[in-house]
């Protein structure tokens, strides 16, 4: 149920609307140009109409399907104790999800750079690729460290809220301040892409 309250869900709704509009537009255009092409070219006109009208909505649909499939997968991976962050600090939770997406992009970038380095023939080019790979590895390490820090904070927050519900004093009095600090550090890390 929490997934319906996230920005990812609403982005998926928006992307679905874009796909629906593309397909409706393609069908409308198809039925508008097909009679003219059939009169002029016969059955070849029908093939031309299909080849002209439908590649754009198919391309948009594939792009959107990739995004719609990615977000719930990220959501499922990040449900654990981090879900309490979604309730207590929604902006930090959105940063946590953005960290996951950035980490995925960074890993892809490292893989591409490794492939380009192995295909390069000169030692100078290899050194440039090795420098870029080292920078991306550092970025990956920063992202992973921040993710672990948020996960640890989420566990502490969950335990603190659990004790508070049982009527005990909070186990961690400075957790709100640390939430703000981590949120600021996350914002800087995400903007530093």
């Amino acid at each position: 149920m929490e997934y319906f309250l996230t920005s990812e869900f609403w982005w998926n709704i928006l992307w679905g609307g874009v796909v629906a509009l593309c397909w409706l537009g393609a069908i409308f255009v198809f039925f508008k140009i097909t009679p003219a092409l059939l009169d002029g070219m016969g059955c070849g006109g029908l093939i031309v109409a299909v080849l002209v009208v439908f590649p754009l909505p198919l391309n948009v649909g594939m792009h959107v399907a990739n995004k719609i499939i990615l977000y719930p997968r990220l959501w499922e991976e990040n449900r654990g104790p981090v879900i309490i962050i979604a309730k207590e600090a929604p902006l930090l939770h959105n940063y946590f999800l953005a960290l996951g997406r950035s980490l995925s992009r960074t890993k892809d970038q490292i893989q591409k750079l490794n492939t380009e380095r192995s295909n390069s023939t000169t030692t100078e080019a290899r050194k440039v690729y090795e420098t870029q790979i080292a920078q991306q590895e550092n970025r990956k390490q920063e992202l992973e460290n921040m993710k672990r820090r948020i996960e640890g904070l989420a566990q502490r927050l969950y335990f603190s809220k659990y004790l508070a519900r049982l009527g005990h004093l909070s186990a961690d009095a400075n957790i709100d301040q640390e939430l703000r600090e981590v949120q600021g550090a996350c914002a800087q890390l995400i903007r530093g892409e």
Side-chain angles (χ1 to χ4, degrees):
M1 182 64 183
E2 297 94 11
Y3 178 64
F4 298 113
L5 302 175
T6 63
S7 61
E8 282 80 11
F9 172 76
W10 294 106
W11 275 111
N12 289 344
I13 296 295
L14 177 72
W15 284 117
V18 167
V19 169
L21 286 175
C22 280
W23 275 101
L24 287 174
I27 291 169
F28 177 76
V29 169
F30 178 77
F31 284 116
K32 283 292 189 182
I33 68 170
T34 301
L37 289 174
L38 280 174
D39 289 341
M41 298 173 65
C43 288
L46 183 62
I47 294 170
V48 169
V50 168
L51 292 176
V52 168
V53 172
F54 289 111
L56 176 66
L58 283 174
N59 191 12
V60 170
M62 294 300 286
H63 177 71
V64 169
N66 186 31
K67 287 197 172 291
I68 288 176
I69 290 168
L70 173 68
Y71 286 136
R73 187 178 59 213
L74 288 174
W75 175 258
E76 289 302 320
E77 289 175 1
N78 301 316
R79 284 188 63 90
V82 175
I83 200 66
I84 193 147
I85 297 286
K87 294 175 184 170
E88 298 295 324
L91 182 59
L92 182 58
H93 186 262
N94 285 341
Y95 282 142
F96 182 78
L97 295 175
L99 282 172
R101 291 188 294 269
S102 286
L103 189 58
S104 176
R105 283 192 303 266
T106 303
K107 287 177 182 178
D108 290 342
Q109 185 68 23
I110 290 171
Q111 187 176 15
K112 288 177 187 174
L113 288 171
N114 278 327
T115 303
E116 291 175 5
R117 180 184 64 182
S118 65
N119 292 337
S120 65
T121 56
T122 64
T123 57
E124 293 84 19
R126 284 190 187 125
K127 287 180 183 178
V128 169
Y129 285 126
E130 288 172 3
T131 304
Q132 291 176 351
I133 289 170
Q135 290 172 344
Q136 291 299 319
E137 287 288 344
N138 289 339
R139 171 81 176 156
K140 178 182 148 194
Q141 190 63 41
E142 288 176 353
L143 293 169
E144 287 173 345
N145 289 342
M146 184 59 72
K147 247 185 122 169
R148 279 193 294 275
R149 184 175 176 191
I150 292 172
E151 288 167 350
L153 183 61
Q155 290 171 352
R156 286 181 35 219
L157 180 64
Y158 179 80
F159 184 68
S160 176
K161 294 294 181 181
Y162 177 73
L163 288 179
R165 279 191 298 259
L166 291 176
H168 299 285
L169 294 176
S170 176
D172 204 344
N174 65 349
I175 201 148
D176 290 331
Q177 178 184 356
E178 192 168 345
L179 276 171
R180 287 188 296 274
E181 290 172 5
V182 170
Q183 185 171 313
C186 248
Q188 288 178 346
L189 188 61
I190 294 296
R191 286 188 211 122
E193 285 188 302

